[in-house]
Amino acid sequence: MSDFLPTGIQLSYLVAASLFIVGLKQLGSPATARNGNLLASVGMLLAIAATLLDRQVLNYEMILIGLATGSAIGAIAAQRVAMTEMPQMVGLLNGLGGLASALVAVAEFWRLIDASAPIPLDANVSMLLDVFIGGVTFTGSMVAFAKLQGLISGSPITFPLQQPFNILLLIGFVVGSGYLLVSPENVPLFLGVVAVSLLLGVLFVIPIGGGDMPVVISLLNSLSGIAASAAGFVVMNNMLIIAGALVGASGLILTQIMCKAMNRSLFSVLFGAFGTGGAASGGAGAAEIEKNVRSIDPEEGAMMLGYARSVVIVPGYGMAVAQAQHSVRELADQLERMGVDVKYAIHPVAGRMPGHMNVLLAEANVPYPQLSDMDDINPQFEQTDVALVIGANDVVNPAARHDAASPIYGMPILEVDKAKQTIVIKRGMSTGFAGVDNELFYKDKTTMLFGSAKDMVAKLVSEVKQL
């Protein structure tokens, strides 16, 4: 039995890793995403159970206390968090994952120091990488959380000689790590490189504006996986290495997809200081052009929608804030009963995290076939009678196509301005995350329906029923 146990643990890890891979594959489609999430969860349960059977795990009491405490906190947080705060939740979890990985390296370092045991070179390299990646992930994710939560400004925070200072810190970490490889027993120096990694995480995220938060969240998610993989090398756990590598690789792929959707390189995202976090734009030009905005009431909007042959609904962060997804589904159902062809146009970076709109619409049980991505729906806008924009901003701004001076120039957008009529539901004339005035609002074919998305959509439903 004792000989079989290590083999059984490794076989369990192999099965768990297979479930992770299949689960990730199924997460690529909305139709199979729930089943993929279930498979990955079963794989994680199997991996945890196998690890607890490992003879190296000695203190089950502490493990059970930690498991009970973490489960209770996680369950309460999951129940209380609003869908609009899900990006902050993801950022927070990314940060805690990075912190856990870094603490593994710190604990292993302390264990070897207390045991007066020599620290092997490979273990030392793994610990230093784990400390660096985990520390940057932790503090960087905390800053991203604070920006999204509004605890600090969503605008880029910069100071003179910021990048040279960051480079000096990075050089200091590399030099200190090199010295630790030669003299690993230097505790003050080890604590110093830990502090530098934490500081670098803060300085890494503060110059990134709200407009790039979806990309930052994806990147930090990837880093949390890489940190977990490094922790696996520290404690020599194959499952942790594999799971971390999968998270790291999938996060990098998602980051690349987000950058492509914004037509921006990862370098420009990290160092371009783009986005103001939604501050209203000013200037005389904006004030003058605002006079040409044409607003309507829900009754007029209902007539435009009810007598249309085709309607494309474009959800944005405003819909998420108002929790209007259920009302939007009700409106779509009512229009379909009247013979209107209804589709949803999903921009890859709409909202504050990748897939934000998909999650909200899935919560309202919107049928998957009605969801169309940007490349599929854009050629159809010219034949669309009404495009209904609910709280979206930068992702529908026509300036991205032609205004070379605009910060969002070149970013692929949903071309709602090509529809025969466009209705925009919005609280006011404030700008989006990029801080750019949206020229769509002033087009001749655009009408504005001012108010909360949930209230306005509910009124549209009521008026459509009376047609």
Side-chain angles (χ1 to χ4, degrees):
M1 179 67 180
S2 59
D3 293 334
F4 174 76
L5 188 58
T7 303
I9 291 173
Q10 296 305 317
L11 287 174
S12 298
Y13 286 165
L14 180 61
V15 173
S18 301
L19 290 173
F20 290 158
I21 294 171
V22 175
L24 277 173
K25 174 64 176 176
Q26 294 196 345
L27 285 172
S29 169
T32 59
R34 290 184 178 180
N35 188 51
N37 192 44
L38 178 61
L39 286 176
S41 299
V42 171
M44 181 56 71
L45 177 62
L46 180 61
I48 292 173
T51 302
L52 291 176
L53 293 174
D54 194 324
R55 287 171 298 181
Q56 295 179 9
V57 179
L58 302 178
N59 197 329
Y60 287 100
E61 292 80 5
M62 292 299 297
I63 290 174
L64 289 174
I65 291 173
L67 183 63
T69 304
S71 298
I73 295 173
I76 294 172
Q79 288 291 331
R80 293 188 176 182
V81 66
M83 286 302 298
T84 50
E85 297 174 342
M86 195 57 67
Q88 292 96 302
M89 184 76 167
V90 173
L92 186 62
L93 293 175
N94 286 342
L96 293 177
L99 176 62
S101 299
L103 288 176
V104 167
V106 172
E108 182 66 9
F109 176 83
W110 231 260
R111 184 185 72 82
L112 293 173
I113 291 295
D114 286 345
S116 300
I119 301 178
L121 180 62
D122 56 347
N124 206 351
V125 171
S126 298
M127 286 188 293
L128 291 170
L129 285 175
D130 196 11
V131 163
F132 177 73
I133 302 171
V136 169
T137 303
F138 170 60
T139 52
S141 296
M142 293 302 102
V143 172
F145 167 81
K147 280 177 173 279
L148 292 170
Q149 192 67 17
L151 301 178
I152 62 176
S153 173
S155 302
I157 301 173
T158 59
F159 55 85
L161 301 176
Q162 186 171 18
Q163 298 307 333
F165 181 70
N166 291 346
I167 292 172
L168 284 176
L169 283 177
L170 185 59
I171 292 173
F173 181 90
V174 172
V175 172
S177 298
Y179 187 84
L180 282 170
L181 294 178
V182 178
S183 179
E185 295 80 15
N186 194 322
V187 175
L189 183 57
F190 181 80
L191 295 177
V193 298
V194 170
V196 169
S197 69
L198 295 173
L199 180 58
L200 279 170
V202 174
L203 297 176
F204 167 65
V205 177
I206 59 171
I208 303 174
D212 284 327
M213 273 302 121
V215 180
V216 174
I217 290 175
S218 297
L219 182 60
L220 290 170
N221 180 53
S222 175
L223 290 178
S224 69
I226 297 172
S229 190
F233 281 103
V234 171
V235 298
M236 298 305 295
N237 183 281
N238 293 334
M239 188 69 259
L240 198 54
I241 295 171
I242 294 172
L246 287 172
V247 173
S250 59
L252 284 176
I253 292 171
L254 186 57
T255 301
Q256 180 60 30
I257 292 173
M258 294 296 104
C259 288
K260 183 179 179 181
M262 298 174 67
N263 195 35
R264 287 163 58 73
S265 67
L266 183 58
F267 182 87
S268 65
V269 167
L270 299 180
F271 305 107
F274 169 72
T276 66
S281 62
E288 291 172 4
I289 198 168
E290 189 175 342
K291 297 177 183 177
N292 298 323
V293 170
R294 185 163 66 95
S295 63
I296 58 173
D297 57 30
E299 183 179 1
E300 293 177 85
M303 292 180 64
M304 293 171 64
L305 293 168
Y307 295 121
R309 290 173 299 175
S310 59
V311 171
V312 175
I313 299 174
V314 180
Y317 185 67
M319 184 190 78
V321 171
Q323 287 288 283
Q325 60 268 27
H326 296 282
S327 298
V328 171
R329 167 70 192 274
E330 186 180 1
L331 174 62
D333 289 346
Q334 186 63 35
L335 291 174
E336 287 180 326
R337 282 192 283 269
M338 298 177 65
V340 181
D341 179 37
V342 180
K343 295 180 181 178
Y344 295 81
I346 309 297
H347 193 283
V349 294
R352 285 189 171 182
M353 73 176 187
H356 200 174
M357 296 303 106
N358 301 72
V359 172
L360 289 173
L361 295 174
E363 183 188 25
N365 295 317
V366 172
Y368 296 132
Q370 290 187 347
L371 305 183
S372 301
D373 62 29
M374 179 176 59
D375 294 333
D376 292 335
I377 200 67
N378 272 344
Q380 302 180 37
F381 275 118
E382 290 185 356
Q383 289 77 45
T384 300
D385 290 328
V386 182
L388 178 61
V389 180
I390 307 176
N393 204 322
D394 300 322
V395 297
V396 294
N397 192 341
R401 287 200 308 263
H402 64 82
D403 186 359
S406 173
I408 63 172
Y409 177 66
M411 182 181 83
I413 62 167
L414 292 167
E415 298 176 342
V416 298
D417 58 309
K418 295 183 179 180
K420 296 173 184 177
Q421 294 291 330
T422 302
I423 301 174
V424 179
I425 299 178
K426 209 172 183 298
R427 287 182 177 273
M429 296 299 294
S430 62
T431 62
F433 281 143
V436 180
D437 200 27
N438 193 341
E439 65 179 49
L440 171 70
F441 303 157
Y442 316 116
K443 296 281 187 180
D444 293 336
K445 296 188 295 181
T446 300
T447 52
M448 305 293 294
L449 186 54
F450 291 110
S452 164
K454 189 172 185 177
D455 292 342
M456 290 300 103
V457 173
K459 290 179 180 179
L460 285 174
V461 172
S462 178
E463 295 292 339
V464 167
K465 289 180 178 178
Q466 298 180 32
L467 292 177

